[in-house]
Amino acid sequence: MVVEQKTLTTNELKEAIEKLKKEKNAVILAHYYVDEDIQSIADYVGDSLALAQTSKKESASIIVFCGVHFMAETAKILNPKAKVLLPDLNAGCSLADSAPEAEFLAFKNKYPDAIVVSYINSSSGVKALSDFICTSSNAVDVVNSIPKDKRIIFAPDKNLGMFVQKVTGRDLILWEGACIVHVNISNDKLDALHLANPDAEIIAHPECLPIILEKASFVGSTKALLDYVQTSSSQKFIVATEAGILYKMKLAVPHKTILPAPALESNSCACSECPYMKMNTLEKLYQTLLHELPEIHVNEKTQEGALRALNNMLSL
Ligand code: 13P
Ligand code: SF4
Protein backbone atom coordinates (compact mmCIF):
# COMPACT_ATOMS: atom_id res chain seq x y z
CA MET A 1 0.00 0.00 0.00
CA VAL A 2 1.35 3.43 -0.90
CA VAL A 3 0.88 5.95 1.92
CA GLU A 4 0.57 9.45 0.56
CA GLN A 5 2.60 11.97 2.55
CA LYS A 6 1.01 15.37 3.05
CA THR A 7 3.28 18.24 2.04
CA LEU A 8 3.34 20.84 4.80
CA THR A 9 2.92 24.52 3.94
CA THR A 10 5.60 27.04 4.99
CA ASN A 11 3.54 28.10 8.03
CA GLU A 12 2.82 24.51 9.03
CA LEU A 13 6.53 23.71 8.77
CA LYS A 14 7.42 26.72 10.91
CA GLU A 15 4.86 25.69 13.57
CA ALA A 16 6.06 22.08 13.56
CA ILE A 17 9.69 23.23 13.92
CA GLU A 18 8.79 25.51 16.87
CA LYS A 19 6.98 22.63 18.58
CA LEU A 20 9.84 20.15 18.09
CA LYS A 21 12.35 22.73 19.26
CA LYS A 22 10.54 23.13 22.61
CA GLU A 23 9.99 19.39 23.06
CA LYS A 24 13.64 18.58 22.40
CA ASN A 25 15.34 21.57 24.07
CA ALA A 26 16.89 22.52 20.73
CA VAL A 27 18.09 25.85 19.31
CA ILE A 28 18.46 26.91 15.70
CA LEU A 29 21.57 28.85 14.73
CA ALA A 30 21.65 30.33 11.23
CA HIS A 31 24.16 32.21 9.10
CA TYR A 32 23.05 35.41 7.32
CA TYR A 33 23.40 33.61 3.97
CA VAL A 34 20.57 31.07 4.48
CA ASP A 35 17.03 31.63 3.18
CA GLU A 36 14.82 34.27 4.80
CA ASP A 37 12.32 31.68 6.01
CA ILE A 38 15.01 30.01 8.10
CA GLN A 39 16.50 33.31 9.30
CA SER A 40 13.01 34.37 10.42
CA ILE A 41 12.59 31.39 12.79
CA ALA A 42 16.19 30.95 13.93
CA ASP A 43 16.99 31.62 17.60
CA TYR A 44 20.20 33.27 16.56
CA VAL A 45 21.38 34.65 13.20
CA GLY A 46 24.99 35.78 12.90
CA ASP A 47 28.28 35.81 11.04
CA SER A 48 30.94 33.12 11.47
CA LEU A 49 32.49 34.67 14.58
CA ALA A 50 29.22 35.37 16.38
CA LEU A 51 27.94 31.89 15.57
CA ALA A 52 31.11 30.31 16.97
CA GLN A 53 30.85 32.41 20.15
CA THR A 54 27.15 31.56 20.51
CA SER A 55 27.77 27.82 19.97
CA LYS A 56 30.40 27.80 22.71
CA LYS A 57 28.08 29.21 25.40
CA GLU A 58 24.85 27.53 24.27
CA SER A 59 23.28 25.27 26.94
CA ALA A 60 20.56 23.57 24.81
CA SER A 61 20.80 19.79 24.29
CA ILE A 62 20.56 20.12 20.49
CA ILE A 63 22.02 22.76 18.16
CA VAL A 64 20.62 22.68 14.64
CA PHE A 65 23.12 24.56 12.54
CA CYS A 66 21.62 26.12 9.43
CA GLY A 67 24.83 26.96 7.65
CA VAL A 68 27.58 24.84 6.13
CA HIS A 69 29.57 21.83 7.31
CA PHE A 70 32.64 23.64 8.71
CA MET A 71 30.34 25.85 10.82
CA ALA A 72 28.49 22.90 12.34
CA GLU A 73 31.83 21.14 12.93
CA THR A 74 33.12 24.27 14.71
CA ALA A 75 30.00 24.31 16.91
CA LYS A 76 30.61 20.65 17.84
CA ILE A 77 34.28 21.34 18.65
CA LEU A 78 33.37 24.31 20.85
CA ASN A 79 30.42 22.59 22.51
CA PRO A 80 31.10 18.82 22.46
CA LYS A 81 28.28 18.01 24.92
CA ALA A 82 25.59 19.29 22.56
CA LYS A 83 24.18 17.16 19.77
CA VAL A 84 24.97 19.21 16.65
CA LEU A 85 22.81 18.65 13.57
CA LEU A 86 23.24 19.99 10.03
CA PRO A 87 20.16 19.82 7.74
CA ASP A 88 22.23 18.75 4.70
CA LEU A 89 25.64 17.06 5.03
CA ASN A 90 26.44 18.11 1.45
CA ALA A 91 26.46 21.77 2.47
CA GLY A 92 30.20 22.25 2.02
CA CYS A 93 32.33 25.28 1.18
CA SER A 94 34.71 25.90 -1.71
CA LEU A 95 37.27 27.38 0.69
CA ALA A 96 37.27 24.42 3.07
CA ASP A 97 37.38 22.04 0.08
CA SER A 98 40.41 23.85 -1.38
CA ALA A 99 42.61 22.76 1.53
CA PRO A 100 42.67 18.97 1.99
CA GLU A 101 44.38 18.06 5.26
CA ALA A 102 47.29 16.03 3.77
CA GLU A 103 48.15 18.73 1.20
CA PHE A 104 47.93 21.38 3.85
CA LEU A 105 50.30 19.45 6.12
CA ALA A 106 52.83 19.16 3.27
CA PHE A 107 52.54 22.94 2.65
CA LYS A 108 52.96 23.71 6.36
CA ASN A 109 56.05 21.46 6.54
CA LYS A 110 57.78 23.65 3.94
CA TYR A 111 57.78 26.54 6.45
CA PRO A 112 58.54 24.85 9.81
CA ASP A 113 59.15 28.14 11.65
CA ALA A 114 55.90 29.81 10.49
CA ILE A 115 52.83 30.49 12.65
CA VAL A 116 49.71 29.07 10.97
CA VAL A 117 46.58 31.23 10.86
CA SER A 118 43.63 29.45 9.29
CA TYR A 119 40.33 31.00 8.32
CA ILE A 120 37.40 29.38 10.13
CA ASN A 121 36.23 28.25 6.64
CA SER A 122 38.41 25.13 6.86
CA SER A 123 38.03 21.50 7.90
CA SER A 124 38.55 20.44 11.52
CA GLY A 125 41.71 18.61 10.35
CA VAL A 126 43.21 21.83 8.97
CA LYS A 127 42.15 23.70 12.13
CA ALA A 128 44.01 21.10 14.22
CA LEU A 129 47.18 21.83 12.17
CA SER A 130 46.86 25.57 12.88
CA ASP A 131 48.04 27.85 15.68
CA PHE A 132 45.20 30.35 15.35
CA ILE A 133 41.81 30.39 13.68
CA CYS A 134 40.38 33.68 12.43
CA THR A 135 37.16 34.86 10.82
CA SER A 136 36.63 37.76 8.46
CA SER A 137 35.74 39.89 11.54
CA ASN A 138 39.04 39.43 13.32
CA ALA A 139 41.64 38.28 10.73
CA VAL A 140 43.49 41.62 10.95
CA ASP A 141 43.54 41.52 14.79
CA VAL A 142 44.73 37.90 14.84
CA VAL A 143 47.61 38.66 12.46
CA ASN A 144 48.48 41.85 14.38
CA SER A 145 48.67 39.82 17.63
CA ILE A 146 51.58 37.75 16.25
CA PRO A 147 55.10 39.12 16.90
CA LYS A 148 56.47 41.01 13.89
CA ASP A 149 59.53 38.77 13.54
CA LYS A 150 57.40 35.64 12.95
CA ARG A 151 56.54 34.37 9.48
CA ILE A 152 52.83 33.62 9.01
CA ILE A 153 51.03 31.09 6.82
CA PHE A 154 47.52 32.36 6.04
CA ALA A 155 45.02 29.85 4.60
CA PRO A 156 42.85 28.99 2.79
CA ASP A 157 41.37 32.25 1.38
CA LYS A 158 43.92 34.06 -0.80
CA ASN A 159 41.70 37.13 -1.27
CA LEU A 160 41.12 37.60 2.45
CA GLY A 161 44.86 36.97 2.92
CA MET A 162 45.77 39.70 0.42
CA PHE A 163 43.38 42.10 2.13
CA VAL A 164 44.92 41.34 5.56
CA GLN A 165 48.36 41.75 4.03
CA LYS A 166 47.42 45.21 2.77
CA VAL A 167 45.89 46.37 6.07
CA THR A 168 48.60 44.97 8.38
CA GLY A 169 51.62 45.50 6.10
CA ARG A 170 52.71 41.94 6.95
CA ASP A 171 54.10 39.60 4.31
CA LEU A 172 51.92 36.45 4.53
CA ILE A 173 52.54 33.03 3.00
CA LEU A 174 49.23 32.49 1.21
CA TRP A 175 47.30 29.34 0.29
CA GLU A 176 45.52 29.49 -3.10
CA GLY A 177 41.86 29.12 -2.06
CA ALA A 178 38.83 31.22 -3.00
CA CYS A 179 35.13 31.53 -2.26
CA ILE A 180 33.15 30.70 -5.41
CA VAL A 181 30.43 33.13 -4.36
CA HIS A 182 32.55 36.22 -3.73
CA VAL A 183 34.78 35.76 -6.80
CA ASN A 184 31.60 35.41 -8.87
CA ILE A 185 30.84 39.13 -8.49
CA SER A 186 31.19 40.79 -11.90
CA ASN A 187 33.53 43.77 -12.10
CA ASP A 188 31.98 45.07 -15.36
CA LYS A 189 28.39 44.68 -14.17
CA LEU A 190 29.31 46.33 -10.86
CA ASP A 191 30.73 49.33 -12.77
CA ALA A 192 27.55 49.56 -14.85
CA LEU A 193 25.34 49.39 -11.75
CA HIS A 194 27.40 52.08 -10.03
CA LEU A 195 27.22 54.28 -13.12
CA ALA A 196 23.44 53.99 -13.05
CA ASN A 197 23.45 54.66 -9.27
CA PRO A 198 26.28 57.14 -8.66
CA ASP A 199 24.84 58.07 -5.25
CA ALA A 200 25.28 54.49 -3.98
CA GLU A 201 28.19 53.47 -1.75
CA ILE A 202 29.88 50.20 -2.72
CA ILE A 203 30.59 48.02 0.32
CA ALA A 204 32.25 44.60 0.12
CA HIS A 205 33.24 41.43 1.96
CA PRO A 206 37.02 40.76 2.07
CA GLU A 207 36.57 37.39 0.29
CA CYS A 208 35.96 39.42 -2.94
CA LEU A 209 38.68 39.86 -5.55
CA PRO A 210 41.05 42.85 -5.05
CA ILE A 211 39.58 44.61 -8.13
CA ILE A 212 36.19 44.70 -6.35
CA LEU A 213 37.66 45.66 -2.95
CA GLU A 214 39.47 48.64 -4.54
CA LYS A 215 36.09 50.12 -5.48
CA ALA A 216 34.57 49.69 -2.02
CA SER A 217 34.34 52.56 0.45
CA PHE A 218 33.99 49.99 3.24
CA VAL A 219 35.27 46.40 3.51
CA GLY A 220 34.09 44.16 6.34
CA SER A 221 32.62 40.87 7.51
CA THR A 222 28.94 40.11 6.97
CA LYS A 223 28.05 41.60 10.38
CA ALA A 224 30.27 44.64 9.83
CA LEU A 225 28.48 45.29 6.50
CA LEU A 226 25.10 45.01 8.25
CA ASP A 227 26.24 47.51 10.91
CA TYR A 228 27.71 49.83 8.28
CA VAL A 229 24.43 50.36 6.35
CA GLN A 230 22.88 51.43 9.66
CA THR A 231 25.61 53.89 10.70
CA SER A 232 26.59 55.41 7.34
CA SER A 233 24.73 58.55 6.29
CA SER A 234 24.38 57.18 2.72
CA GLN A 235 20.89 56.29 1.59
CA LYS A 236 21.89 53.78 -1.10
CA PHE A 237 24.35 50.85 -1.10
CA ILE A 238 25.64 48.27 -3.54
CA VAL A 239 26.53 45.25 -1.43
CA ALA A 240 29.27 42.96 -2.76
CA THR A 241 28.71 39.73 -0.84
CA GLU A 242 26.26 36.82 -0.68
CA ALA A 243 22.73 38.12 -1.24
CA GLY A 244 21.23 36.47 1.88
CA ILE A 245 22.44 39.40 4.03
CA LEU A 246 20.04 41.74 2.18
CA TYR A 247 17.14 40.29 4.21
CA LYS A 248 18.50 41.63 7.54
CA MET A 249 19.74 44.86 5.91
CA LYS A 250 16.29 45.65 4.54
CA LEU A 251 14.73 44.93 7.96
CA ALA A 252 17.31 47.16 9.67
CA VAL A 253 17.09 50.14 7.25
CA PRO A 254 13.77 49.85 5.37
CA HIS A 255 14.03 53.50 4.29
CA LYS A 256 17.39 52.94 2.51
CA THR A 257 18.00 51.32 -0.90
CA ILE A 258 20.09 48.16 -0.82
CA LEU A 259 21.22 46.70 -4.15
CA PRO A 260 23.06 43.39 -4.48
CA ALA A 261 26.29 43.45 -6.51
CA PRO A 262 25.65 41.61 -9.82
CA ALA A 263 27.06 38.14 -10.48
CA LEU A 264 29.05 37.03 -13.55
CA GLU A 265 26.58 34.26 -14.30
CA SER A 266 23.00 35.38 -14.47
CA ASN A 267 20.62 33.49 -12.18
CA SER A 268 17.16 34.12 -10.69
CA CYS A 269 18.35 36.95 -8.41
CA ALA A 270 21.08 38.21 -10.82
CA CYS A 271 23.27 38.36 -7.72
CA SER A 272 25.73 36.03 -6.02
CA GLU A 273 24.24 33.24 -3.92
CA CYS A 274 26.01 30.42 -2.06
CA PRO A 275 24.70 27.10 -3.39
CA TYR A 276 25.81 25.36 -0.18
CA MET A 277 24.05 27.75 2.20
CA LYS A 278 20.93 27.48 0.03
CA MET A 279 20.86 23.68 0.62
CA ASN A 280 19.26 24.51 3.98
CA THR A 281 15.48 24.42 3.53
CA LEU A 282 12.61 24.53 6.03
CA GLU A 283 11.61 21.00 5.03
CA LYS A 284 15.12 19.64 5.68
CA LEU A 285 15.30 21.58 8.95
CA TYR A 286 12.02 20.00 10.06
CA GLN A 287 13.17 16.46 9.12
CA THR A 288 16.51 17.06 10.87
CA LEU A 289 14.85 18.06 14.11
CA LEU A 290 12.33 15.23 13.87
CA HIS A 291 14.88 12.44 13.33
CA GLU A 292 17.88 14.17 15.03
CA LEU A 293 19.93 13.46 11.92
CA PRO A 294 22.37 14.08 10.27
CA GLU A 295 24.58 14.53 13.31
CA ILE A 296 28.09 16.02 13.26
CA HIS A 297 30.95 14.06 14.88
CA VAL A 298 34.59 15.06 15.27
CA ASN A 299 37.24 12.57 16.36
CA GLU A 300 38.84 13.21 19.75
CA LYS A 301 42.38 14.00 18.54
CA THR A 302 41.22 16.45 15.87
CA GLN A 303 38.79 17.99 18.34
CA GLU A 304 41.62 18.68 20.81
CA GLY A 305 43.91 20.40 18.25
CA ALA A 306 41.13 22.36 16.59
CA LEU A 307 39.77 23.53 19.96
CA ARG A 308 43.22 24.83 20.95
CA ALA A 309 43.44 26.90 17.73
CA LEU A 310 39.84 28.15 18.09
CA ASN A 311 40.40 29.13 21.73
CA ASN A 312 43.58 31.00 20.74
CA MET A 313 41.31 33.14 18.56
CA LEU A 314 38.42 33.46 21.03
CA SER A 315 40.69 34.47 23.92
CA LEU A 316 42.21 37.38 21.96
P1 13P B 1 31.56 35.89 7.70
O1 13P B 1 30.42 35.18 8.30
O2 13P B 1 32.75 35.93 8.62
O3 13P B 1 31.22 37.24 7.19
O4 13P B 1 32.06 35.01 6.45
C1 13P B 1 31.29 34.92 5.32
C2 13P B 1 31.28 33.60 4.71
O5 13P B 1 31.57 33.41 3.57
C3 13P B 1 30.82 32.50 5.52
O6 13P B 1 30.96 31.35 4.83
FE1 SF4 C 1 32.05 28.94 1.52
FE2 SF4 C 1 31.77 31.11 0.05
FE3 SF4 C 1 29.63 29.65 0.60
FE4 SF4 C 1 30.83 31.09 2.55
S1 SF4 C 1 29.81 31.88 0.76
S2 SF4 C 1 30.14 28.96 2.66
S3 SF4 C 1 32.97 30.96 1.91
S4 SF4 C 1 31.39 29.00 -0.62
Side-chain angles (χ1 to χ4, degrees):
M1 191 178 70
V2 179
V3 181
E4 244 184 68
Q5 271 202 318
K6 184 180 172 268
T7 315
L8 299 179
T9 64
T10 299
N11 282 341
E12 285 169 342
L13 277 171
K14 286 185 178 179
E15 276 169 28
I17 290 166
E18 282 299 337
K19 193 162 167 275
L20 281 171
K21 231 175 60 179
K22 286 197 188 97
E23 278 169 22
K24 297 185 178 223
N25 184 27
V27 286
I28 299 171
L29 266 53
H31 191 272
Y32 290 118
Y33 295 170
V34 299
D35 275 347
E36 297 182 12
D37 275 333
I38 295 181
Q39 289 194 47
S40 72
I41 56 157
D43 297 285
Y44 191 85
V45 184
D47 68 358
S48 305
L49 179 62
L51 289 169
Q53 289 163 333
T54 306
S55 308
K56 188 178 163 89
K57 56 178 195 251
E58 186 51 64
S59 58
S61 321
I62 298 179
I63 296 174
V64 188
F65 211 113
C66 295
V68 293
H69 192 271
F70 77 80
M71 294 181 171
E73 222 177 29
T74 303
K76 182 67 189 174
I77 293 163
L78 290 168
N79 192 341
K81 284 203 185 107
K83 183 182 257 192
V84 177
L85 309 173
L86 178 69
D88 191 328
L89 278 185
N90 292 318
C93 168
S94 66
L95 277 169
D97 292 348
S98 79
E101 197 181 323
E103 283 173 39
F104 188 70
L105 177 61
F107 181 74
K108 174 181 152 146
N109 286 342
K110 287 202 271 179
Y111 310 96
D113 59 334
I115 301 283
V116 180
V117 178
S118 290
Y119 195 27
I120 199 162
N121 299 40
S122 55
S123 67
S124 53
V126 165
K127 285 188 177 75
L129 292 170
S130 307
D131 298 295
F132 287 90
I133 302 305
C134 72
T135 76
S136 61
S137 305
N138 60 18
V140 166
D141 297 336
V142 169
V143 166
N144 275 334
S145 76
I146 297 167
K148 291 254 182 313
D149 59 331
K150 295 276 183 202
R151 297 187 81 192
I152 300 173
I153 292 176
F154 189 93
D157 190 355
K158 190 179 179 188
N159 292 311
L160 175 65
M162 287 191 291
F163 172 74
V164 173
Q165 221 164 217
K166 203 171 157 193
V167 176
T168 61
R170 300 286 289 266
D171 191 16
L172 306 177
I173 305 161
L174 300 175
W175 180 269
E176 292 275 340
C179 161
I180 50 165
V181 179
H182 288 88
V183 300
N184 186 35
I185 289 168
S186 161
N187 182 43
D188 292 346
K189 289 183 188 171
L190 178 61
D191 282 347
L193 185 64
H194 201 205
L195 206 61
N197 297 273
D199 53 333
E201 245 192 282
I202 298 177
I203 58 174
H205 193 281
E207 288 173 18
C208 291
L209 289 166
I211 195 166
I212 304 290
L213 297 184
E214 275 161 24
K215 297 179 182 171
S217 54
F218 179 75
V219 176
S221 73
T222 314
K223 172 71 166 73
L225 297 175
L226 175 59
D227 291 344
Y228 188 79
V229 297
Q230 296 170 71
T231 51
S232 162
S233 57
S234 298
Q235 295 301 306
K236 203 187 261 190
F237 301 89
I238 300 175
V239 182
T241 189
E242 211 275 353
I245 187 63
L246 267 70
Y247 169 63
K248 287 283 185 205
M249 285 182 173
K250 286 177 180 172
L251 286 178
V253 283
H255 53 290
K256 295 190 179 182
T257 306
I258 315 280
L259 305 168
L264 285 169
E265 308 287 336
S266 70
N267 54 26
S268 58
C269 77
C271 52
S272 208
E273 289 189 309
C274 177
Y276 305 113
M277 291 281 187
K278 281 1 184 206
M279 284 179 182
N280 293 277
T281 62
L282 274 184
E283 175 63 37
K284 285 186 207 167
L285 170 53
Y286 166 65
Q287 294 293 342
T288 296
L289 255 177
L290 186 65
H291 301 293
E292 300 184 20
L293 284 170
E295 186 178 351
I296 300 294
H297 298 280
V298 180
N299 80 52
E300 220 173 290
K301 193 157 171 272
T302 310
Q303 144 89 26
E304 210 177 285
L307 182 61
R308 175 193 38 75
L310 278 161
N311 279 337
N312 285 346
M313 165 184 82
L314 293 173
S315 62
L316 271 183

